[in-house]
Amino acid sequence: ERFADNEKAFLTNSSQEAYSLLKKYGIKYAFFSGRQGFYAYGWKQPSVEKFSDQNFFEKVYEKDGVKIVRVK
């Protein structure tokens, strides 16, 4: 279940769904880049636009295509 939730959190376009899944496991920070990741059974492009939603996330670092956000 946790593996599937992790995949959903990074692949969903919904900032609210991602937030709920990350909070479910007590995750305080999310790290990502624009690169593809291996999710379940293949390489997929994560949906990162949702992490710009300031209702749920706060950007704490951004450099060279790497971003870290705090889960509020």
Side-chain angles (χ1 to χ4, degrees):
E1 179 182 3
R2 187 177 181 130
F3 183 82
D5 285 346
N6 177 64
E7 180 180 54
K8 275 190 233 174
F10 282 91
L11 296 179
T12 183
N13 290 322
S14 167
S15 55
Q16 185 171 7
E17 181 180 20
Y19 173 80
S20 295
L21 290 166
L22 295 173
K23 290 298 275 187
K24 177 179 177 180
Y25 295 101
I27 295 170
K28 296 180 182 169
Y29 293 89
F31 160 89
F32 56 92
S33 70
R35 295 178 25 190
Q36 289 185 334
F38 193 81
Y39 297 97
Y41 301 104
W43 291 95
K44 299 174 186 171
Q45 187 68 36
S47 171
V48 296
E49 297 81 19
K50 66 181 155 272
F51 293 113
S52 297
D53 188 336
Q54 295 180 355
N55 293 311
F56 302 107
F57 306 102
E58 175 188 1
K59 181 173 64 175
V60 294
Y61 179 86
E62 182 174 10
K63 185 175 181 181
D64 298 329
V66 174
K67 294 181 184 177
I68 300 172
V69 295
R70 182 178 67 82
V71 181
K72 291 185 173 181

